[in-house]
């Protein structure tokens, strides 16, 4: 169990983590939030790359801000920006990272490296330099390096940004196969990543956790209160102003705009009540209008 209690972090006057509280059990946990919400700050803190200003983070009862090695010995981490890709074959680079992770037995290392390359579908590209990989291949390589040493905690930060739909699906399949006994934290700003994959999630905005629960439970909180209407582009500003503070989204659709509004009662004529989706729930919680 990973337990985060009253965690704060400030950068100047930016409150990047504002009283974060979360208890995480094994399984896939989705942390959804817009850019700048504080997700990477939280991921880096959990990965023991930086300390919180305040608060406590315990892994099975041990405070990892005081004993970071306890976390590091069971952690697999794919940072948002994996960074440098040296001109080195995937197999050699993984082997090198495995040495850094303390897998000393050469035979064990080779077996793990090859088995991971197979799992992430890169075995046929094992001799190619990682520098020549496509975005999707790099992310799959990133998961392979994170999975070296069979970590109990796996943190992946915005892994699907920049992937095409096919690569994204392949990457998400890989995560869901990574094992139910691990605590896996997927940070993302893409609603579909969480919707398709996570039984448990939280929404983060401006340094705070604004909602936590199963995606269906978060959707249930707005059921019966989401209305949509297709309007002309020229009407958007007026309609937005009329429902100020209750507009969930406006989306272009075939020459017009579909506007979604959260309301207990039927808005003006033409609005239809709809079955809400996770995106509606995301915005309703993020704007704190649930
Ligand atoms: P997210 O991952 O959700 O996009 P971040 O955790 O990267 O959010 O950033 C949260 C806020 O903290 C942002 O306003 C960002 O500019 C600020 N921030 C993050 N890291 C630093 C840093 N090292 N120095 C100064 N400000 C930072």
């Amino acid at each position: 169990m990973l337990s985060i209690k009253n965690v704060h972090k400030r950068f100047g006057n930016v409150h990047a983590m504002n009283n974060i509280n979360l208890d995480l059990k094994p399984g896939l946990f989705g942390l959804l939030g817009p850019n700048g919400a504080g997700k990477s700050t939280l991921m880096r803190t959990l990965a023991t790359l930086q300390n919180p200003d305040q608060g406590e983070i315990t892994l099975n009862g041990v405070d990892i801000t005081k004993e970071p090695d306890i976390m590091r010995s069971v952690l697999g981490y794919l940072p948002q920006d994996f960074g440098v890709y040296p001109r080195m074959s995937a197999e050699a680079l993984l082997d090198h990272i495995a040495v850094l992770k303390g897998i000393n037995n050469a035979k064990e290392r080779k077996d793990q490296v090859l088995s991971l390359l197979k799992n992430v579908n890169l075995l046929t590209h094992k001799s190619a330099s990682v520098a020549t990989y496509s975005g999707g291949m790099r992310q799959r390589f990133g998961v392979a390096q994170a999975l070296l040493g069979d970590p109990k905690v796996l943190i992946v930060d915005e892994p699907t940004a920049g992937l095409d739909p096919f690569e994204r699906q392949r990457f998400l399949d890989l995560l869901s196969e990574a094992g139910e006994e691990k605590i896996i934290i997927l940070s993302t700003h893409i609603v579909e990543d969480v919707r398709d994959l996570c039984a448990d999630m939280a929404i983060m905005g401006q340094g705070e956790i604004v909602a936590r629960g199963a995606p269906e439970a978060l959707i249930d909180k707005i059921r019966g209160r989401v209305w949509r209407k297709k309007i002309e582009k020229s009407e958007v500003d007026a309609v937005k102003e009329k429902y100020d503070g209750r507009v969930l989204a406006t989306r272009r659709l075939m020459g017009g705009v579909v506007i979604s509004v959260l309301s207990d009662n039927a808005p003006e004529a033409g609005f239809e009540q709809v079955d809400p989706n996770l995106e509606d729930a995301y915005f309703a919680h993020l704007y704190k209008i649930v």
Side-chain angles (χ1 to χ4, degrees), residues 33-238:
N35 288 333
K39 304 182 298 298
S40 290
T41 303
L42 177 56
M43 300 299 100
R44 281 198 305 270
T45 307
L46 295 177
T48 72
L49 296 176
Q50 68 190 20
N51 266 333
D53 297 336
Q54 240 178 285
E56 190 185 80
I57 302 172
T58 57
L59 182 65
N60 300 324
V62 180
D63 189 337
I64 61 160
T65 62
K66 299 201 175 83
E67 295 186 59
D69 286 345
I70 296 285
M71 176 58 120
R72 288 172 194 166
S73 63
V74 297
L75 176 70
Y77 178 47
L78 176 56
Q80 185 170 8
D81 192 1
F82 190 54
V84 185
Y85 293 90
R87 301 218 153 263
M88 196 173 179
S89 79
E91 186 179 5
L93 184 52
L94 272 189
D95 184 75
H96 179 71
I97 297 170
V99 171
L100 296 179
K101 283 198 175 185
I103 308 171
N104 294 321
N105 183 297
K107 162 97 174 58
E108 186 191 329
R109 220 162 50 227
K110 186 166 176 96
D111 289 350
Q112 253 201 59
V113 164
L114 291 179
S115 133
L116 280 170
L117 283 169
K118 179 166 180 287
N119 288 350
V120 302
N121 239 315
L122 289 173
L123 202 53
T124 51
H125 304 279
K126 72 182 166 80
S127 305
S129 151
V130 181
T132 65
Y133 277 7
S134 71
M137 291 164 81
R138 286 182 183 193
Q139 287 304 67
R140 282 186 276 128
F141 177 85
V143 177
Q145 67 76 26
L147 286 173
L148 276 170
D150 193 21
K152 299 288 165 274
V153 180
L154 178 64
I155 296 176
V156 289
D157 194 1
E158 297 268 4
T160 61
L163 298 190
D164 70 35
F166 178 75
E167 286 175 329
R168 178 182 155 267
Q169 196 50 53
R170 204 154 159 181
F171 182 88
L172 294 178
D173 288 347
L174 196 61
L175 267 196
S176 64
E177 285 160 15
E180 285 167 9
E181 73 285 1
K182 294 184 199 310
I183 296 175
I184 303 179
I185 308 172
L186 163 68
S187 134
T188 182
H189 66 273
I190 301 169
V191 176
E192 287 79 14
D193 286 352
V194 173
R195 185 195 63 198
D196 298 347
L197 217 60
C198 303
D200 188 12
M201 67 176 289
I203 297 170
M204 189 168 189
Q206 296 189 330
E208 292 177 29
I209 301 293
V210 293
R212 158 79 192 272
E216 266 314 301
L218 299 187
I219 293 171
D220 277 344
K221 291 195 177 152
I222 55 168
R223 207 173 288 284
R225 297 161 61 203
V226 179
W227 305 78
R228 287 201 231 289
K229 183 182 183 183
K230 188 168 178 201
I231 56 178
E232 301 295 326
K233 262 190 239 166
S234 56
E235 297 173 282
V236 171
D237 288 346

